[in-house]
Amino acid sequence: MDELTREIYGNIGTVSKIVFYLCAVASVAVFAWGIWRRRQMWRIGRDDGERIDWRATLRSFCTKVLSQRTVRRTKRKAGKYHAWLFYGFVILFIGTCLIAVEEWSHRLLGTDGTNLFHKGLYFVIYEIVLEAGGLLFVIGCAWFLVRMLRKGGGDTVGYRKADLWLIGSLLVIGVSGFVLEGMRIIREATPSPGISFVGWAVSRGLAVLGFRQENVSWPHFLTWWFHSLLVFAFIASLPFTRLLHLVAGSVNLCLVRKKLGRMVPISVEELEASGKTGVEHLHEFTRTQLRSLDACVACGRCTDACPATEAGQPLSPMAIVQDLRGHFNVIAPLVQKARRAGTDPALIATPRKLHGDVISAESLWACTTCNACYDVCPLGVSPVDLITDLRRFLIGNGELSGPPAVSLQKVQRSGNPWGLPARERFAWAEGLDVPTVKTRPDFEILYWIGCSASYDRRVQKVARAVVKLLDLAGVNYATLGPEERCTGEFARRMGDEFLFQEQADSNIEVLRRYAVKKVITHCPHCLNSLKQDYPQFGGDYEVVHHSVLLSQLIMEGKLKVNPAKTGPVTFHDPCYLARVHGTTDEPRRVLAAAVGADALKEMPRNRRDTACCGAGGGRMWFDDEPAKRVGRGRIDEALATGAETVAVGCPFCLTMVGDGLKAAGSTAAVKDIAELLADAIGD
Amino acid sequence: MKILVPTKRVPDPDQPLLLNATGTAVDLDGVPSIINPFDAIALEEALRIREEDRAANGGEVEVVAVSIGNTDCEKELRIALAMGADRAILIKVESAVDPWVVSGLLKALAEKEQPDLVLMGKQAVDDDCNQTGQFLAARLDWPQATFASKLEFVDGGRIRVARETDAGTEVVSMPLPAVVTADLRLCEPRYASLPAIMRARKQPLEELSAAELGVDITARVEVLEMETSNPKRECVRVGSVDELIEKLRGAGALPR
Amino acid sequence: MKILVVLETQGDALRQASRCAITLARSAAEAAGGAEIEIALLGANLAAASVAASCYGPVFVLDHDSLAEVTADRYAAAVAEIARARGTDLLIAASTSQAKDGIARAAALLDGAMVSDASACAARDGRLVWRRRMHAGSVLAWVAAHGSPVVVTALPSAFSPAEPSAPNAITPLAIDVAALPSAIRFESVSVGTTGRPDPTEAAIVVSGGRAFKTAEDYERLIGGLADKLGAATGSTRAAVDAGIAPNENQVGQSGKIIAPNLYLGIGVSGAIQHLTGMVHSKVIAVINTDEEAPLLEYADFALIADAYEAIPELIAKL
């Protein structure tokens, strides 16, 4: 068995080996320098205090990078071939390293001539694995090359001309590796060559072409050098090409910790120090964000998932990231120079300004902050995060006017976006005997009503349904009554951080006064704000969506319901519930109880892949022409299920879907799951 | 070029209003205030004239905001500064003022400041008089253009203004200095958020008194009594078109 | 007491609003225990109008070609001169855009005692007091003006047009027109596309929603009713999106914010965005087939009926 081995560096003379190692060192040095240069460029950004948690990083590496899970989630085919390419590459890389270990160890131990471990069963396994790896690698490269040659074939992935050379070179590396192996097999008449099954097949082919042991040495030698130089070129060029994502991308993916739907607060001190909010110049992004620009490979998954892009709005998350990256390449050296000279980078004269030239305000305002882009990105890039930081500057600089600005002003003065009297906030509950924190001081759960249910007649019906269900189940709950004010959630997502903080401080004070610990709400935006935003300001509560509590009450038997006979029903998952908070089962359980599991027809984009209704991120207050209204496609999707009722779990969705259905001339109804449940229970 | 923009502090129109104990004035205690929306439009227009260099003078435009009232007005002046005004002046007056008094004070200020243009809202949403701009123009003996929906600068130190009238959109031109009052359609004011307001806090406010300006602040119009009319609506169902007409006439909503 | 009413013309006839101003003048005369009412007319080609005006009181005419187009400085100077010449104690005009522009300027040239948009007149403690709306109509105030002359503009919708009586004398005024200020130059006027008032200015707004199936129906019914009432038209975002109504008409948070005397919402459900655009209207009346429409909760009067039937009936009976 020990005869099963092969000579390492056979046909490669000492001079070649020395030159080879020198080249290796040189290419690794160039690689390292390139990466270092990029890292220094990332460091022009703000230090956000990111500290590496090695355990979590290692875990991320395994669950995200090694598993290739993130790249396979969407664009499944491309994800699969990328996984093949990746595993193939990793196998080949490790394999090559093992060869080097073998070479150096048997050289150091003075057992020149025979391999230490690279023989026998190990060798057999090694060869098979590497052949398979090489094959995966070659097939992967070929698939991507073909896709690129077909100009994407309708795929949204972004390419540059140079990328064609890149993938071509990788393919050539893979193929030449097999050719090399084939030649080696011929030259050395390797015993049991069939173990290296691909190489063996290649050697058969080469033999047909006339290559024999006598004449193969030179071609082998030349091919070996060709293959090696190509590999060194690949290593050295990595930081300067799309391949940078191997480093920047995996680093970003492993280090990024930010949860969906969460934003970083700005303190008043920061505001006083800098005199502004948000990002005006590129170097005001954090280092993490700048690094994420390098992580992006323009794969297009974010743009595919973006509801604004779908509606024809001037927003493509991929374009935002790539445009920022282009600007970053120009700006970063200038900023580094300015810092060395001790001048303020903000004063650098640039041919293109970040706001206006590189990124238009129009594209920034088109975002609904649905977080699909961040969720779907295989490399942990968050375009929505970049967008909200840029929005913060626009708002702080007074560059917003019209109805959306008016909504912000109304929240500040009246505590709701419509400017309706604050003292009428609890008027919806008139005559309904709804318990408040004053009438039921020993409540356990606070039912947070939110602005929509307080003032919008249609949404008030949802609150009434929830109240009816909670009363029926005997839940010990209370509402804040007229003391509730807008959570400020949409103000924060529009970029008005301080209006949000004003609202949060006011609400947190009221919640503290009534010792609120648990909160239930029917609005996923209020939910997200209370759960993720408010803890940043001292408000810590256990917050659940009403579907979670209702589902629990049904399972505990506290709500007894027989499913009502209805036509087909489809559920439109709210972005902030399904994607940001991962709550997708509970609403379906409530629906199943209310209308029966058979009535439920799923839309193609459901659960975490839900398509935004278009109201988030403050977009509810923007007036779009119907043709470009975000969420239009979703209406068509809902209608295509044949559903007679669209069930929702969010007051924004309720309004948007309702309006959308009416505009489409449909008679389908839109109802909150609580309404459907209350209807099914009857009186 | 200097543009003077009077900005009036008014109570937020969204808020339900209560009267004071004697029923002679609105109780403003605890009611949020805002810059009169029409004045905010005028201020926005002045800022755009500067930013877009519409007067073709290299953008050398000084925008001066002025408020008349007590120190509470400082809040609105800071917002004006936050939106982008270069200077803010408070003319301190403790008593109630009417268009005659305001125009007198503004006239004295205009004679002091020598602006090229006074750009203000067509009316204040609290008293709804729609007189102050016209009074000021008369007293300064300057030409006026009221209800402006478009403002252009033309050669020879003149402006051309499109005005919204009952007859349609009228276009007039006049030499500067002039008084222009802004209509709703002139432009949309920008939103001044906290960062801008905080920056503005560092800017000084100038204060003047009526005495310094040598103006008599006796009002010509006196409010004798007030009543509020924002009761909760009780919807009355009518059974026919005839009944509807009758009810509407009775409520004074339809002319007889 | 001498009252001077400045009238405006529309072609050869007097503007209806001006006739409403005469009603206020008569009411003031009564409250004052009797007064002389004189009429002033300024403009060009006023022969026929003067005759019509003379049926309300002795007319003083300033008829000159250069006054064909009214510019504020010239008009105000002329009005002020006439008032001084006639020894006027109380100058009244209808509160039209021309009066707001020119009469207000004239008031400042006189004594600066002006009350705008008066809707009633009364006598109190031996002087005349005036009622007017403030705070976009949510406050009604009684005010007194100190000075002479007092200038009052009348809110036309608060008065019915005065009926003419026997003709009076027509006297041309000897005012040196050439000496009047002329810094303001009139250039042009373009009539609005529909000739209807703007929803933000009109006293009555007739608003239609998705109940109307086509743009033609909307124009025929809502437009027709608006024309009958001299009102403006309004619509909802849903109607604009459906192409039934023009965008300039949209009332709501992202459209126009209005507060007319009367808001007539026909086939409008009253979604919250629309509501915030008209909730401060003085009187809200609704015609809808849907009893559950949110707008009903904000309405003063509601008629549950089909718009297509109710509107023609309404037009016929008004």
Side-chain angles (χ1 to χ4, degrees):
Chain A
M1 189 56 152
D2 263 8
E3 326 81 64
L4 290 174
T5 183
R6 72 149 177 104
E7 194 190 341
I8 298 174
Y9 284 121
N11 198 31
I12 309 300
T14 317
V15 172
S16 284
K17 277 193 237 181
I18 292 172
V19 176
F20 175 84
Y21 282 117
L22 284 176
C23 287
V25 168
S27 80
V28 170
V30 171
F31 165 86
W33 175 77
I35 297 293
W36 177 253
R37 200 171 133 263
R38 278 333 274 193
R39 178 189 178 264
Q40 293 305 90
M41 281 170 75
W42 303 336
R43 287 174 73 85
I44 64 164
R46 249 186 334 119
D47 184 3
D48 56 348
E50 181 194 58
R51 297 283 166 263
I52 303 179
D53 173 358
W54 291 105
R55 266 246 299 267
T57 306
L58 189 59
R59 192 170 41 234
S60 282
F61 184 74
C62 296
T63 57
K64 293 185 191 167
V65 179
L66 289 187
S67 68
Q68 290 284 285
R69 178 168 57 99
T70 60
V71 75
R72 284 184 305 167
R73 207 191 120 204
T74 53
K75 287 197 180 182
R76 300 244 157 84
K77 218 154 163 216
K80 179 177 82 170
Y81 287 109
H82 182 275
W84 286 14
L85 198 162
F86 173 80
Y87 291 131
F89 177 83
V90 167
I91 289 169
L92 291 172
F93 181 74
I94 295 177
T96 311
C97 291
L98 288 172
I99 295 262
V101 168
E102 166 63 57
E103 161 77 2
W104 283 98
S105 44
H106 79 223
R107 183 183 291 274
L108 287 172
L109 292 177
T111 52
D112 251 336
T114 50
N115 290 337
L116 270 181
F117 55 83
H118 197 73
K119 60 190 177 186
L121 183 62
Y122 166 88
F123 177 73
V124 174
I125 296 171
Y126 177 96
E127 281 300 305
I128 294 173
V129 170
L130 248 72
E131 293 301 280
L135 206 53
L136 286 178
F137 180 76
V138 165
I139 295 174
C141 285
W143 191 88
F144 284 107
L145 179 63
V146 168
R147 183 174 78 163
M148 216 185 284
L149 286 172
R150 289 168 66 220
K151 299 209 191 310
D155 196 305
T156 40
V157 59
Y159 288 120
R160 272 184 287 249
K161 267 250 246 344
D163 295 333
L164 204 59
W165 288 101
L166 211 55
I167 193 75
S169 306
L170 283 179
L171 182 62
V172 168
I173 288 176
V175 169
S176 64
F178 282 126
V179 168
L180 195 58
E181 195 176 37
M183 290 183 177
R184 187 258 297 161
I185 286 172
I186 293 177
R187 184 181 167 274
E188 294 171 22
T190 317
S192 303
I195 300 169
S196 323
F197 50 93
V198 182
W200 178 75
V202 171
S203 72
R204 292 290 98 229
L206 288 172
V208 166
L209 289 173
F211 286 92
R212 279 179 294 287
Q213 200 170 30
E214 310 81 63
N215 61 13
V216 81
S217 289
W218 262 110
H220 174 267
F221 182 75
L222 289 172
T223 309
W224 185 91
W225 267 114
F226 174 72
H227 178 87
S228 306
L229 289 176
L230 211 50
V231 170
F232 291 142
F234 152 76
I235 292 172
S237 71
L238 193 146
F240 311 99
T241 65
R242 194 191 188 89
L243 297 170
L244 175 60
H245 80 274
L246 268 75
V247 177
S250 35
V251 165
N252 196 57
L253 189 57
C254 295
L255 291 185
V256 148
R257 295 269 156 269
K258 204 160 98 26
K259 299 183 105 174
L260 287 164
R262 193 174 289 192
M263 288 179 68
V264 178
I266 306 174
S267 70
V268 179
E269 291 77 32
E270 280 175 76
L271 170 63
E272 278 173 353
S274 64
K276 66 179 163 199
T277 47
V279 169
E280 182 185 6
H281 305 290
L282 196 72
H283 65 269
E284 288 157 1
F285 277 121
T286 63
R287 294 171 180 178
T288 311
Q289 288 172 312
L290 294 177
R291 182 183 68 212
S292 76
L293 298 180
D294 272 350
C296 172
V297 280
C299 75
R301 284 171 173 78
C302 54
T303 294
D304 280 349
C306 178
T309 311
E310 185 190 347
Q313 291 276 339
L315 168 62
S316 152
M318 176 171 85
I320 297 264
V321 178
Q322 288 295 313
D323 289 344
L324 285 175
R325 179 158 200 259
H327 189 62
F328 176 54
N329 282 331
V330 170
I331 291 294
L334 296 175
V335 172
Q336 288 168 316
K337 198 161 108 183
R339 292 234 170 99
R340 279 194 295 268
T343 56
D344 181 4
L347 301 171
I348 300 174
T350 59
R352 301 175 81 219
K353 290 189 348 188
L354 176 55
H355 281 279
D357 295 324
V358 181
I359 306 282
S360 74
E362 258 190 317
S363 25
L364 293 175
W365 293 122
C367 176
T368 65
T369 70
C370 74
N371 271 267
C373 52
Y374 182 32
D375 190 44
V376 99
C377 178
L379 291 158
V381 182
S382 178
V384 62
D385 199 37
L386 301 168
I387 289 170
T388 47
D389 277 345
L390 291 167
R391 277 182 173 185
R392 279 172 161 175
F393 172 72
L394 288 181
I395 289 263
N397 212 37
E399 291 181 42
L400 182 69
S401 60
V406 169
S407 300
L408 290 169
Q409 288 168 330
K410 294 198 185 238
V411 164
Q412 187 181 44
R413 291 179 220 134
S414 306
N416 68 82
W418 300 286
L420 294 168
R423 63 181 194 196
E424 279 176 29
R425 199 173 174 106
F426 202 52
W428 68 274
E430 226 168 283
L432 281 179
D433 205 16
V434 176
T436 68
V437 288
K438 290 209 159 91
T439 63
R440 193 186 277 180
D442 60 341
F443 67 95
E444 272 171 41
I445 292 188
L446 181 81
Y447 176 25
W448 181 273
I449 309 292
C451 301
S452 291
S454 298
Y455 293 103
D456 187 335
R457 290 290 185 268
R458 173 61 187 91
V459 188
Q460 284 171 354
K461 295 185 186 165
V462 177
R464 282 189 219 120
V466 174
V467 158
K468 170 179 162 186
L469 294 166
L470 293 178
D471 284 338
L472 264 175
V475 176
N476 186 6
Y477 76 100
T479 62
L480 269 184
E483 291 184 90
E484 205 188 84
R485 282 178 77 85
C486 182
T487 54
E489 187 264 351
F490 83 82
R492 193 175 214 200
R493 269 87 203 151
M494 278 177 76
D496 200 344
E497 174 70 9
F498 290 101
L499 173 59
F500 160 74
Q501 287 188 16
E502 220 180 289
Q503 298 298 112
D505 287 340
S506 161
N507 282 321
I508 288 173
E509 175 51 38
V510 172
L511 292 168
R512 189 197 57 77
R513 211 184 318 137
Y514 295 107
V516 172
K517 299 272 182 303
K518 293 199 194 161
V519 181
I520 164 188
T521 175
H522 58 255
C523 174
H525 289 268
C526 296
L527 169 76
N528 185 55
S529 206
L530 292 166
K531 193 163 175 182
Q532 297 215 87
D533 291 339
Y534 277 39
Q536 294 170 348
F537 303 95
D540 244 301
Y541 323 103
E542 204 186 300
V543 194
V544 292
H545 190 243
H546 69 320
S547 63
V548 174
L549 180 60
L550 291 175
S551 157
Q552 191 186 330
L553 293 172
I554 293 170
M555 292 210 293
E556 288 172 359
K558 294 202 179 129
L559 277 176
K560 297 202 195 335
V561 51
N562 286 318
K565 267 216 147 326
T566 59
V569 176
T570 187
F571 183 60
H572 166 71
D573 290 273
C575 294
Y576 271 80
L577 186 67
R579 184 175 299 122
V580 175
H581 288 281
T583 303
T584 54
D585 287 331
E586 288 86 341
R588 285 170 171 78
R589 268 189 237 131
V590 173
L591 269 182
V595 300
D598 298 327
L600 187 55
K601 304 267 169 284
E602 294 280 6
M603 286 189 261
R605 292 179 292 183
N606 60 54
R607 294 177 185 261
R608 198 171 149 199
D609 294 321
T610 187
C612 185
C613 73
R619 293 230 93 232
M620 187 71 164
W621 321 115
F622 286 77
D623 200 18
D624 295 320
E625 52 176 299
K628 282 201 179 161
R629 207 161 279 162
V630 182
R632 265 190 85 236
R634 188 56 163 176
I635 303 295
D636 298 334
E637 200 176 339
L639 291 172
T641 62
E644 283 167 24
T645 308
V646 179
V648 295
C650 167
F652 277 160
C653 297
L654 186 67
T655 307
M656 298 298 283
V657 173
D659 286 351
L661 288 173
K662 259 196 254 164
S666 162
T667 51
V670 60
K671 293 216 159 162
D672 187 272
I673 52 169
E675 289 179 292
L676 289 170
L677 187 62
D679 286 345
I681 287 182
D683 292 308
Chain B
M1 155 166 292
K2 187 187 290 192
I3 305 181
L4 189 65
V5 183
T7 50
K8 184 176 184 185
R9 172 186 163 93
V10 298
D12 177 14
D14 286 335
Q15 308 303 323
L17 292 170
L18 298 168
L19 296 177
N20 66 6
T22 52
T24 52
V26 170
D27 182 6
L28 295 173
D29 196 28
V31 179
S33 62
I34 61 171
I35 296 182
N36 179 34
F38 293 107
D39 293 337
I41 289 172
L43 177 57
E44 174 67 25
E45 183 71 2
L47 296 170
R48 289 191 195 181
I49 290 171
R50 181 180 67 203
E51 284 160 13
E52 295 161 20
D53 194 22
R54 290 193 354 219
N57 64 347
E60 298 281 322
V61 176
E62 192 188 4
V63 177
V64 182
V66 55
S67 264
I68 297 170
N70 59 22
T71 49
D72 288 342
C73 295
E74 283 178 14
K75 169 172 160 282
E76 274 64 44
L77 283 172
R78 295 250 174 252
I79 294 177
L81 288 170
M83 284 171 70
D86 298 295
R87 290 163 54 209
I89 301 174
L90 172 65
I91 301 179
K92 272 182 92 164
V93 171
E94 298 293 330
S95 53
V97 294
D98 72 348
W100 181 251
V101 172
V102 173
S103 58
L105 290 166
L106 290 177
K107 169 175 182 263
L109 184 66
E111 280 159 0
K112 185 168 174 292
E113 289 281 336
Q114 298 286 308
D116 301 278
L117 178 64
V118 175
L119 191 51
M120 57 196 282
K122 68 174 181 182
Q123 71 195 61
V125 298
D126 54 0
D127 57 28
D128 287 323
C129 287
N130 200 326
Q131 291 163 215
T132 310
Q134 295 86 310
F135 274 28
L136 178 61
R139 295 173 80 170
L140 284 170
D141 195 21
W142 285 6
Q144 72 190 46
T146 53
F147 329 129
S149 59
K150 194 157 183 270
L151 175 59
E152 282 173 72
F153 288 81
V154 293
D155 290 332
R158 297 176 66 84
I159 51 172
R160 179 177 292 132
V161 184
R163 305 177 49 232
E164 298 300 315
T165 68
D166 297 340
T169 306
E170 183 189 87
V171 178
V172 293
S173 67
M174 61 203 68
L176 292 175
V179 175
V180 175
T181 72
D183 192 275
L184 198 63
R185 276 152 292 251
L186 188 57
C187 61
E188 259 173 359
R190 64 194 62 183
Y191 176 60
S193 82
L194 186 60
I197 295 173
M198 288 190 71
R199 277 199 296 270
R201 278 208 198 128
K202 301 185 190 130
Q203 279 173 276
L205 284 180
E206 298 161 45
E207 264 184 36
L208 289 167
S209 70
E212 281 172 78
L213 289 171
V215 175
D216 169 26
I217 56 168
T218 322
R220 289 283 198 268
V221 176
E222 182 196 343
V223 175
L224 301 171
E225 75 184 50
M226 284 182 165
E227 70 184 65
T228 51
S229 59
N230 45 356
K232 186 125 172 35
R233 296 184 201 264
E234 298 284 342
C235 183
V236 172
R237 294 283 184 91
V238 299
S240 66
V241 168
D242 293 312
E243 211 188 320
L244 180 65
I245 296 177
E246 191 201 312
K247 288 273 191 277
L248 288 176
R249 287 213 171 113
L254 277 179
R256 288 188 180 281
Chain C
M1 182 172 82
K2 292 190 71 179
I3 301 178
L4 183 67
V5 187
V6 180
L7 303 182
E8 289 178 42
T9 57
Q10 203 155 1
D12 281 338
L14 299 175
R15 268 189 83 165
Q16 179 167 300
S18 288
R19 291 169 55 214
C20 298
I22 295 173
T23 307
L24 173 61
R26 288 179 181 172
S27 164
E30 203 186 302
E36 267 179 70
I37 296 182
E38 297 179 333
I39 307 289
L41 212 52
L42 300 91
N45 301 313
L46 294 172
S50 306
V51 172
S54 68
C55 297
Y56 298 93
V59 181
F60 295 87
V61 189
L62 187 58
D63 189 338
H64 195 274
D65 280 339
S66 67
L67 293 172
E69 302 300 345
V70 172
T71 53
D73 51 356
R74 165 172 279 253
Y75 183 80
V79 167
E81 221 183 294
I82 298 172
R84 272 184 234 114
R86 297 307 310 156
T88 304
D89 299 299
L90 172 61
L91 192 149
I92 290 179
S95 185
T96 60
S97 61
Q98 181 177 303
K100 286 175 188 166
D101 187 35
I103 298 288
R105 189 182 171 111
L109 293 173
L110 294 165
D111 207 13
M114 176 173 179
V115 177
S116 54
D117 297 298
S119 57
C121 172
R124 211 179 279 191
D125 302 329
R127 61 185 174 175
L128 287 177
V129 296
W130 312 89
R131 191 182 67 185
R132 62 185 303 273
R133 281 168 60 173
M134 297 170 69
H135 294 274
S138 42
V139 169
L140 268 171
W142 282 97
V143 305
H146 305 287
S148 186
V150 170
V151 176
V152 177
T153 56
L155 184 68
S157 57
F159 304 97
S160 29
E163 291 304 320
S165 46
N168 290 271
I170 301 172
T171 316
L173 286 164
I175 288 182
D176 185 2
V177 172
L180 291 174
S182 55
I184 303 173
R185 193 187 304 161
F186 169 87
E187 294 198 354
S188 67
V189 63
S190 57
V191 181
T193 41
T194 54
R196 287 188 197 123
D198 187 273
T200 55
E201 309 264 324
I204 303 177
V205 175
V206 180
S207 184
R210 293 202 86 239
F212 299 90
K213 300 187 191 65
T214 64
E216 291 75 40
D217 286 350
Y218 174 90
E219 176 54 35
R220 178 171 55 88
L221 294 166
I222 295 290
L225 180 56
D227 288 336
K228 191 76 197 281
L229 291 168
T233 55
S235 62
T236 62
R237 189 171 94 161
V240 171
D241 285 351
I244 296 170
N247 194 34
E248 307 84 70
N249 267 354
Q250 189 184 316
V251 170
Q253 199 171 9
S254 50
K256 300 206 152 112
I257 313 283
I258 63 174
N261 261 352
L262 171 62
Y263 172 90
L264 203 42
I266 309 181
V268 172
S269 63
I272 193 165
Q273 276 97 299
H274 182 75
L275 213 55
T276 54
M278 39 66 53
V279 71
H280 293 297
S281 305
K282 199 144 174 301
V283 175
I284 297 176
V286 172
I287 301 179
N288 205 315
T289 48
D290 181 8
E291 295 209 15
E292 303 271 300
L295 190 54
L296 263 76
E297 289 190 53
Y298 281 92
D300 295 298
F301 307 106
L303 172 63
I304 306 298
D306 188 323
Y308 280 80
E309 286 163 19
I311 296 183
E313 200 187 328
L314 202 48
I315 294 177
K317 289 184 174 169
L318 275 170

